[in-house]
Amino acid sequence: MKNMTAKTVLIVYAHQSAGSFNAAVKNAAVDELKKQGCRVLVSDLYEMKFKATATEDDINGAVKNPKHFRYGNETMLAWQEGRLASDIVDEHNKLKEADLVIFQFPMYWFSVPAIMKGWMDRVLTLGFAYTLEKRYSEGIFRNKKAMLSFTTGSHETMFSSNGINGDMNVTLWPIQNGVLNYCGFQVLAPQIFWAPTHLSSEAREGLLKGWCTRLQGLLNEAPLTFPPADIFDEGKGFQLKPEVREKQADSPFGLTVGHHLEKPLPPQSQMKAGV
């Protein structure tokens, strides 16, 4: 009988080198979570040679409309009929088991590496991970948690609102809101390792210790705040309901990074819970 208190954690990991700092972060998470009694699954995307491109090859058998291949519709049908490619099905099975998903990666071009974006494109299948009725706060994965853990090439000051790269809260919005929250995940604050290549080995070791300390309480952390789906009016193009806008009128900040209401962005809303 399964221990009901034990949690399953899936780490989706994207780095080419076992000698990298990302690998060290991933290994630390595996070790620390196992110490807590968690079951840990790892999808090592480069080791798996995971296919990043969303194509007809993701479907076994004939497609419904070969003249105009529509990936979302075709893969939803294939999912319903049990005709998805085996590598997608394997990841679906891991996701179904997972209470928490950690995406571990080096930031590429202000986003995830292509192989991880391919995982999102292919594994978060229409029907399995979301539908038009089941998304955001009504999402399919609303009982699961997810988070980003990543390294940057730039220093933290460069990702500030006054820095050359701009506000990291803005950078994170498309992934944390547009992928994770969209599928219903409760999104935990990201774990960011700022420019580890510029640090001493002792400083990198300190970062790993800090990560291990956070992992000890990670499963009990409060998630980031996103607006519930029911404050948008479906009959009026999913616009914010007037009463919500009125309630926000006196606030010095917008509602979120994306729903900024032409006001200053709420500070650190994609970086820390409860702000």
Side-chain angles (χ1 to χ4, degrees), residues 21 30 37 53 55 59 75 77 110 155 181 194 203 257 271:
F21 185 72
V30 171
T53 51
T55 67
I59 297 165
T75 51
L77 184 62
F110 289 41
H155 295 286
N181 180 48
W194 303 100
V257 169
M271 306 274 279

Side-chain angles (χ1 to χ4, degrees), residues 23 37 41 48 54 58 77 82 84 90 92-93 97 130-133 149 154 179-180 193-194 211 213-214 220 222 261:
L41 310 173
M48 294 158 61
D58 293 344
L77 184 62
L84 280 176
D90 288 345
H92 279 187
N93 290 336
E97 293 278 324
Y130 70 97
T131 68
L132 292 181
E133 298 76 31
S149 174
S154 298
V179 179
L180 303 182
F193 301 94
W194 303 100
W211 175 224
T213 299
R214 184 182 178 192
N220 295 317
L261 309 179

Side-chain angles (χ1 to χ4, degrees), residues 12-13 101 110-111 142 167 172 214 249 260 267:
V12 182
Y13 166 67
V101 184
F110 289 41
S111 187
R142 60 188 178 276
D167 189 342
L172 292 175
R214 184 182 178 192
H260 50 71

Side-chain angles (χ1 to χ4, degrees), residues 14 105 107 123 164 178 236-237:
F105 60 95
M107 180 170 273
V123 175
I164 192 169
K236 295 186 177 178

Side-chain angles (χ1 to χ4, degrees), residues 12-14 43 45 50-54 58 71-72 75 88 91-92 95 101-105 111-126 128-130 141 146-150 172 174-183 185 187:
V12 182
Y13 166 67
S43 290
L45 301 182
F50 190 82
K51 183 172 84 74
T53 51
D58 293 344
Y71 187 81
T75 51
I88 296 177
E91 297 306 299
H92 279 187
L95 257 181
V101 184
I102 299 174
F103 293 90
Q104 183 64 54
F105 60 95
S111 187
V112 297
I115 199 167
M116 183 172 281
K117 181 57 165 60
W119 187 97
M120 294 173 174
D121 289 349
R122 298 178 66 228
V123 175
L124 300 178
T125 308
L126 177 60
F128 170 76
Y130 70 97
F141 296 148
M147 68 173 293
L148 307 179
S149 174
F150 61 94
L172 292 175
I175 310 171
Q176 293 190 156
N177 179 70
V179 179
L180 303 182
N181 180 48
Y182 191 92
C183 291
F185 284 110
V187 186

Side-chain angles (χ1 to χ4, degrees), residues 36-61:
Q36 297 178 37
C38 293
R39 176 180 175 228
V40 183
L41 310 173
V42 178
S43 290
D44 185 339
L45 301 182
Y46 285 106
E47 180 68 25
M48 294 158 61
K49 294 181 170 57
F50 190 82
K51 183 172 84 74
T53 51
T55 67
E56 290 184 32
D57 294 338
D58 293 344
I59 297 165
N60 295 315

